[in-house]
Amino acid sequence: MNALAASSALAAAAGGLDPGASSWLLTALILVPIVTAAVVVLLPASRPEAVKLVGLLGSLATLGLSLAVLFSFKAHEAGYQMTEPKFAWISKLGIGWQLGIDGISLWMVVLTGILFPIALIGPKIHGDVKSYVLWMMVLEGACMGSFVALDLFLFFLFFELVLFPMYMLISGYGYGRRAYASLKFYAYTAAGSAFLLVGILAVASRYASTSGGKWSFSLPELMTTPGISGSIWMFVFFMVAFLVKVPVFPFHTWLPDAHTEAPTAGSVILAGVLLKLGTYGMLRFAINLFPEAAVRTAPIWMVLALIGMIYGAIVAAMQKDLKRIVAYSSVAHMGFIVLGIFAFTRQAGTGSVIQMINHGITTPALFLLVGWIYERRHTREIAKLNGLWKAAPILGSFFLVTTFASIGVPGLNGFVGEFLVLIGTFPTWPWLAGIGATAVIFAALYMLWAFQRVFTGEPDAENSTTRDLTWAQRLLFVPLIVLMFVMGIYPKPFTDRIQPSVDAIVARAEGAGARKAPAVTRSTQEAHP
Amino acid sequence: MIASLLAQTGQIPAPNINYRSIPFVVLAVGAMAMLVLRALSNRVPQWVWTAITILSALVTLVWSTFLLNDLVSTGPREIMMDALVVDNLSMIMALAMCTSVVLTALVAHSYLIRERLEGPEFGVLLLLACAGGILMAQALDLLVMFLGLEIMSIPLYVLAGFHRRRSVSAEASMKYFILGAFSSAVFLYGIALTYGGTGSTHVLFIRSYVSRVLREGGHSLAGQGVLMAGMALVLVGLAFKVAAVPFHQWTPDVYQGAPTPVSGFMAALAKVAGFTALLRVLGQAYVAVRESSPDALVSNTVDRLPWPWIIMALAVLTLVVGAVMALVQVDIKRMMAYSSINHAGYVLVGVAAANQESFRSAAYYLLTYTFTIIGTFAIITVVSGPGDRLHRLESWRGLGRRRPALAMLMTLFLGAQAGVPFTTGFLAKFGVILAAARGEYTLWLALVAMLVTAVSVIFYLRVIMLMYAAPKGEAHAETDLEEANAAALAAAEGRRLYVVPTATWVAIAICAAVTLVGGIWAGPLVALVDRISI
């Protein structure tokens, strides 16, 4: 099976866009990690290096597949692509293996593909390597599945499946209070999913009752269900699950604990991929199914997002633990994304998706760096770190670039996303955009302050002997730096693919009565690279 | 006088016994054969007893499968003067019950040798309990149902106290017997009242009585106090057997004290049989009434017949109490007892939604739960060690390092019970919650059930976490008791702890395969329960 999937990947990569091969790409995206996990189960635990190699190969093959998806994706097209083949699974209920990808999920898939190999080999593994690699691979398969599923049942299945391996990673390989943090993580998100499943079932049974008893869980079909567009309670049920996942204030309390106690790889994946499941779920499922309810309740989510941004920034500034700062910065950044989503304009929506990618690159990068600092100094307490730049200039410069990217310095990726969100929110919600802009300044404040305390000045005796990054670590990190610059300088390839999908969602929202932005003028188009 | 009695026997209509349709007689015959063999010889090795037990159960299983296949063409039929029925529900549940005997016999084989409890009695009791369970499932007459209940319960009481040298085992048996006998009495009294209210103990008669009252008697059952009280007591009797809150108090003590393979067997068999009887009674006295009523009646049947509301209340209580109490347990068997109460709550959700589809989902839940729970208790049996003593959660610490395969399988079973996707546990929970979400008055129940799932996940994960946690030395001891347990563990480890016998492996493998394969290749099992109709 592995060979088959790999060969189809090769065919897609080499032969270009052979439709027969590319149609299996999405299925292969899910199966390759899962099959790798199955292979890992069969390997002896006494050979950790072999297990790690197999895991790395599996995740690299998945990366190849996700790049193949990227290259066979048709830009400038809105609808779902690669929706063939479909299989019936529980045909009585119309549940099937139905996958599809649009300009939003495309990037989530690529992001997942890039982050997993890095997370797998970047940090040191403390403990049993075999089950670590096993859970990482199951996690990758589940993440991929969540991002490409078009069937709501299938989506929920993968959405839930994500929790278990993540839980195993935090509880098995985390730091001091990992038992508490991992349980909190699981309980919070599982409670959120409870609402999601009931919401899905309510939509599906509404569909069944209006279509003469024919059941379906397929998103395109459910979108046509009459009378659900304005159903506030169903929309809220969907949103609860996604708000917890993002997390939006006041559902965020699991996140700092989970991030702080998770092993570095867990934090990388949690921040890079799992949080995106929330905003992605809003875009793909909640808003598409209930545009009218989304438009009517939009101010609530935008205000919550704003509170999260400001609250996250203030709390982050006060943290003593470097990792907790990054964790709270996630709350702030994700709030920004939610703000853009519910502005329902082309720029803000595109900016949000760009920002999802940005956050998926810079925050994992920061976690990786913090993890490497911890490996060297065995502490993450800011008070005990100082003058690291002198001792480890490469580490310092990587940290500085990533910090700049995270706070949105022009020329780096963060700027593009934040700017688009603000400029897109302003025409419809000027006040909220104004408050959002101040949050950007806060972010610069706490991140730079942290950088200053940790890296500048003269190192004391303990810090002056800190080793710099090894060559392997530098090589691993360079792709992330390159991505930060590429997205910051030339984001067109990204926006070309994102925009049509965002337009479709915005059109749906505007059809349901969202405030319309003034006609796109020349100046805003220029602002939009 | 005797002559006059004999003369009268001719006037009592003797039922025409259709042996072809009652496969459970094989179980009884197997049990008798073992007792006779025991009387003839003292030197029969243990494997013979196990073999006879498994063989009898397998023959019944195959026989039931044939009957099940015949049903496609013949349709359900009443037999033995309408006292029993052969239909999809009873035959599918018979499959589950026979399977539970086979699996338990496999697990118990080495357990009995390990604990030096060899002999035919264990197998005999398994077979008889199963025969009673199947009789209960097939019963159409409440009195026959009671007969089945007793034939099932009495062997279970004995099985609970089977480990003679453990005082907790005797205590469990006593407790189970006294409370069980009490609940049987309540059940019987319910039958008496139902008879007083309707003039019959036959569920089909009760059904026609209820629909006649609804149609003619002012559309209300309010005046039918005797029938109401009778049905309520019948419900209590069955709720006791399936361990629904507030009739669950015996469960943790009995599960903890009973020999570990028996705990799994009880969880599977008593639940399957009890719920099948519940589905039978409610299916006829409520669902069938509702679905056969003229349209004008259907919309308001719910208000007139209180059963669904009672079942809903039971379901919520059972779900919440089971999950919350399981959180605070430190003994794995007590935890699994509360977990089984929690699972009964999910099945009750399916029952409460009260329609054909929801009953199917409840049946699917029972069918798949049989495999997960017996698999779970099989692993607990192994970990409990010689003497069946190491039940504290702390005993599970570090199993992942010492026995990775065992820990992985336990993770699978616990994950399935927690409802992790791609296991049968997920589909089972999904089924009952879907059923509840479809009903117009049970949507809130679906949400409660889902939220309880989020809570219940915590106690399953706790065990998983312990299995993969660092050994005691690296963590800090929390209480003296746990230290004592750790010491016992260390001592037992010297005696080659966690040896998994081949027969147990087979049982665990079967359970794991069904749990995992059934969760992915869902079609066959779903299609099987789809044949059930009320």
Side-chain angles (χ1 to χ4, degrees):
Chain A
M1 187 94 84
N2 213 344
L4 188 141
S7 66
S8 83
L10 280 179
L17 317 172
D18 171 28
S22 69
S23 62
W24 281 92
L25 273 177
L26 299 186
T27 306
L29 270 180
I30 302 168
L31 286 185
V32 168
I34 299 288
V35 170
T36 312
V39 173
V40 166
V41 170
L42 300 177
L43 291 174
S46 54
R47 300 278 310 279
E49 68 293 339
V51 170
K52 216 169 163 181
L53 184 68
V54 169
L56 182 63
L57 287 178
S59 63
L60 284 177
T62 318
L63 172 61
L65 285 169
S66 65
L67 292 178
V69 171
L70 176 62
F71 291 122
S72 43
F73 186 84
K74 298 185 201 68
H76 305 292
E77 275 184 31
Y80 300 113
Q81 303 185 18
M82 307 183 202
T83 50
E84 296 293 327
K86 294 177 204 167
F87 305 100
W89 185 21
I90 304 175
S91 37
K92 177 176 79 163
L93 294 173
I95 292 169
W97 183 266
Q98 191 189 5
L99 310 175
I101 197 161
D102 64 359
I104 300 166
S105 52
L106 169 71
W107 294 109
M108 297 301 111
V109 163
V110 174
L111 191 62
T112 311
I114 293 173
L115 286 179
F116 268 89
I118 293 177
L120 204 58
I121 52 171
K124 276 187 195 148
I125 304 170
H126 302 280
D128 177 22
V129 173
K130 182 178 161 180
S131 49
Y132 178 89
V133 175
L134 165 68
W135 294 125
M136 282 293 272
M137 287 297 105
V138 174
L139 185 60
E140 180 165 24
C143 290
M144 287 294 188
S146 320
F147 284 131
V148 297
L150 262 189
D151 184 288
L152 263 76
F153 180 85
L154 204 59
F155 170 73
F156 181 79
L157 216 61
F158 285 119
F159 192 76
E160 280 283 284
L161 188 63
V162 164
L163 299 185
F164 192 66
M166 194 67 216
Y167 166 85
M168 294 301 281
L169 285 173
I170 299 178
S171 74
Y173 303 88
Y175 298 97
R177 287 165 65 239
R178 57 177 184 264
Y180 167 76
S182 56
L183 267 186
K184 193 171 174 183
F185 159 76
Y186 203 117
Y188 258 72
T189 37
S193 310
F195 286 89
L196 178 62
L197 180 63
V198 176
I200 290 175
L201 294 180
V203 175
S205 48
R206 183 72 64 89
Y207 177 86
S209 64
T210 53
S211 68
K214 180 176 160 284
W215 281 78
S216 174
F217 281 82
S218 148
L219 177 66
E221 284 181 43
L222 290 182
M223 274 163 68
T224 63
T225 314
I228 59 163
S229 165
S231 169
I232 302 263
W233 75 265
M234 286 189 204
F235 176 69
V236 170
F237 270 35
F238 272 68
M239 282 299 283
V240 168
F242 299 141
L243 290 172
V244 170
K245 201 80 169 193
V246 169
V248 171
F249 179 89
F251 304 104
H252 66 282
T253 59
W254 63 268
L255 178 94
D257 287 318
H259 264 322
T260 316
E261 307 305 334
T264 302
S267 297
V268 166
I269 300 304
L270 194 57
V273 182
L274 262 60
L275 304 190
K276 307 300 169 308
L277 276 174
T279 43
Y280 167 78
M282 293 177 191
L283 280 168
R284 184 169 211 166
F285 297 104
I287 297 175
N288 263 332
L289 283 170
F290 316 101
E292 213 180 306
V295 168
R296 275 163 61 194
T297 53
I300 301 173
W301 318 123
M302 294 174 88
V303 168
L304 283 182
L306 273 178
I307 296 175
M309 285 161 69
I310 293 164
Y311 170 87
I314 294 172
V315 179
M318 288 182 228
Q319 295 303 315
K320 299 189 176 85
D321 182 326
L322 197 54
K323 207 173 178 187
R324 269 188 111 82
I325 294 188
V326 183
Y328 274 106
S329 82
S330 269
V331 178
H333 281 131
M334 295 307 289
F336 215 89
I337 297 170
V338 175
L339 182 74
I341 289 176
F342 283 95
F344 294 125
T345 61
R346 164 193 269 197
Q347 286 87 353
T350 311
S352 280
V353 179
I354 294 263
Q355 196 63 2
M356 277 160 74
I357 309 170
N358 292 340
H359 182 263
I361 295 167
T362 52
T363 310
L366 284 172
F367 276 123
L368 214 50
L369 291 168
V370 172
W372 284 334
I373 292 176
Y374 185 85
E375 279 175 17
R376 288 165 171 73
R377 296 279 300 104
H378 300 287
T379 182
R380 297 180 310 231
E381 212 175 312
I382 293 173
K384 289 188 184 158
L385 301 168
N386 51 42
L388 281 183
W389 187 289
K390 284 253 165 64
I394 305 285
L395 176 66
S397 52
F398 279 176
F399 202 98
L400 187 64
V401 172
T402 313
T403 303
F404 280 163
S406 167
I407 64 181
V409 169
L412 288 160
N413 55 356
F415 176 74
V416 181
E418 287 183 356
F419 189 70
L420 278 175
V421 169
L422 288 177
I423 209 163
T425 313
F426 191 79
T428 47
W429 303 91
W431 278 100
L432 296 182
I435 300 169
T438 55
V440 176
I441 301 167
F442 278 132
L445 204 72
Y446 64 79
M447 283 308 293
L448 287 177
W449 191 35
F451 177 82
Q452 187 189 354
R453 283 179 290 170
V454 172
F455 285 96
T456 60
E458 282 300 314
D460 57 20
E462 281 181 339
N463 284 305
S464 61
T465 55
T466 310
R467 283 172 295 111
D468 207 343
L469 294 185
T470 63
W471 276 105
Q473 288 167 336
R474 290 178 207 183
L475 270 179
L476 197 65
F477 205 80
V478 164
L480 296 175
I481 298 273
V482 169
L483 273 174
M484 291 176 207
F485 277 106
V486 168
M487 286 187 68
I489 296 166
Y490 189 61
K492 190 171 179 309
F494 295 86
T495 51
D496 276 353
R497 287 167 178 78
I498 295 168
Q499 206 163 298
S501 301
V502 169
D503 280 345
I505 294 170
V506 170
R508 238 179 120 69
E510 281 179 351
R515 293 187 194 181
K516 278 202 178 97
V520 180
T521 60
R522 207 167 173 74
S523 63
T524 47
Q525 226 165 16
E526 273 167 8
H528 178 349
Chain B
M1 185 179 158
I2 289 172
S4 75
L5 271 179
L6 281 176
Q8 283 176 18
T9 52
Q11 294 157 20
I12 300 173
N16 176 21
I17 299 179
N18 181 355
Y19 285 103
R20 234 188 118 255
S21 304
I22 42 171
F24 62 81
V25 284
V26 177
L27 300 170
V29 169
M32 295 309 143
M34 282 160 84
L35 289 178
V36 170
L37 188 58
R38 172 65 172 184
L40 293 179
S41 162
N42 244 340
R43 294 204 193 132
V44 180
Q46 182 61 29
W47 67 264
V48 173
W49 304 128
T50 306
I52 297 177
T53 313
I54 293 177
L55 198 67
S56 314
L58 279 181
V59 170
T60 317
L61 190 89
V62 172
W63 193 341
S64 309
T65 314
F66 278 123
L67 285 175
L68 200 58
N69 281 337
D70 287 350
L71 282 171
V72 179
S73 52
T74 61
R77 58 182 184 279
E78 284 101 44
I79 53 169
M80 315 256 287
M81 297 182 71
D82 298 349
L84 298 182
V85 67
V86 179
D87 65 349
N88 286 308
L89 175 66
S90 60
M91 285 302 116
I92 289 171
M93 289 307 163
L95 296 187
M97 288 188 260
C98 292
T99 316
S100 73
V101 170
V102 173
L103 294 172
T104 309
L106 283 172
V107 177
H109 177 68
S110 44
Y111 176 86
L112 294 173
I113 296 172
R114 187 181 84 188
E115 304 295 327
R116 292 200 273 117
L117 296 166
E118 298 99 328
E121 296 86 358
F122 194 90
V124 170
L125 293 167
L126 285 186
L127 291 178
L128 287 179
C130 182
I134 297 178
L135 181 61
M136 228 173 134
Q138 282 194 283
L140 274 187
D141 193 296
L142 288 177
L143 277 173
V144 177
M145 196 178 274
F146 175 73
L147 210 61
L149 184 84
E150 285 300 283
I151 296 175
M152 177 186 79
S153 299
I154 292 170
L156 285 183
Y157 303 147
V158 183
L159 279 173
F162 202 80
H163 203 309
R164 291 183 292 270
R165 287 180 301 280
R166 290 174 71 228
S167 56
V168 278
S169 187
E171 182 195 323
S173 174
M174 201 60 191
K175 207 170 259 175
Y176 193 23
F177 170 66
I178 291 175
L179 288 172
F182 190 68
S183 83
S184 293
V186 170
F187 186 75
L188 198 55
Y189 194 50
I191 296 174
L193 288 181
T194 309
Y195 181 76
T198 62
S200 172
T201 56
H202 199 276
V203 286
L204 294 180
F205 190 90
I206 297 171
R207 164 189 167 180
S208 56
Y209 180 84
V210 170
S211 35
R212 197 171 64 241
V213 170
L214 278 183
R215 209 167 40 247
E216 297 164 1
H219 299 321
S220 171
L221 282 180
Q224 303 289 323
V226 179
L227 171 63
M228 285 294 162
M231 292 296 280
L233 292 185
V234 166
L235 189 63
V236 170
L238 294 176
F240 178 89
K241 284 294 160 211
V242 302
V245 178
F247 311 104
H248 69 289
Q249 277 91 349
W250 58 275
T251 322
D253 289 337
V254 174
Y255 276 42
Q256 185 187 16
T260 309
V262 174
S263 307
F265 182 65
M266 280 194 302
L269 183 86
K271 271 203 179 36
V272 171
F275 269 116
T276 311
L278 192 60
L279 292 179
R280 176 82 64 205
V281 175
L282 275 182
Q284 295 303 337
Y286 177 74
V287 179
V289 172
R290 184 180 148 126
E291 290 183 355
S292 65
S293 299
D295 288 344
L297 278 175
V298 173
S299 56
N300 281 325
T301 334
V302 174
D303 305 326
R304 303 213 184 83
L305 290 179
W307 330 133
W309 296 108
I310 297 169
I311 303 277
M312 268 188 263
L314 275 183
V316 171
L317 276 175
T318 310
L319 281 170
V320 173
V321 171
V324 172
M325 291 301 290
L327 285 178
V328 297
Q329 303 303 319
V330 292
D331 181 300
I332 182 93
K333 283 169 82 179
R334 282 186 89 82
M335 194 199 91
M336 290 313 298
Y338 280 109
S339 141
S340 85
I341 294 173
N342 181 245
H343 286 293
Y346 287 102
V347 185
L348 280 171
V349 170
V351 179
N355 54 55
Q356 300 267 8
E357 274 300 318
S358 80
F359 276 24
R360 283 172 195 154
S361 71
Y364 181 84
Y365 205 111
L366 292 167
L367 204 57
T368 53
Y369 182 66
T370 304
F371 291 94
T372 12
I373 195 64
I374 293 185
T376 311
F377 272 105
I379 297 180
I380 297 178
T381 308
V382 173
V383 175
S384 299
D388 205 354
R389 280 177 300 111
L390 302 176
H391 296 150
R392 301 193 68 80
L393 283 180
E394 202 52 35
S395 322
W396 291 78
R397 183 181 287 279
L399 187 72
R401 294 188 188 184
R402 291 192 293 269
R403 277 299 194 146
L406 208 57
M408 195 59 88
L409 287 166
M410 188 68 175
T411 307
L412 169 69
F413 290 132
L414 292 176
Q417 293 190 55
V420 170
F422 298 110
T423 62
T424 49
F426 177 83
L427 292 175
K429 286 203 162 92
F430 178 78
V432 292
I433 288 165
L434 174 66
R438 287 171 71 184
E440 67 265 38
Y441 56 93
T442 44
L443 184 68
W444 63 277
L445 196 58
L447 187 60
V448 171
M450 271 311 286
L451 288 175
V452 167
T453 308
V455 176
S456 70
V457 156
I458 296 174
F459 57 82
Y460 296 120
L461 288 184
R462 239 175 51 190
V463 180
I464 295 175
M465 194 149 56
L466 269 174
M467 288 196 297
Y468 291 100
K472 199 71 195 171
E474 294 170 34
H476 56 277
E478 281 163 27
T479 64
D480 294 337
L481 256 175
E482 284 178 0
E483 268 175 340
N485 205 288
L489 187 71
E493 231 167 338
R495 300 198 304 267
R496 290 174 54 75
L497 190 61
Y498 308 138
V499 180
V500 187
T502 318
T504 311
W505 263 135
V506 173
I508 295 175
I510 294 172
C511 294
V514 172
T515 303
L516 196 60
V517 176
I520 296 167
W521 186 35
L525 274 178
V526 174
L528 184 65
V529 296
D530 266 352
R531 296 174 53 177
I532 293 174
S533 57
I534 304 307

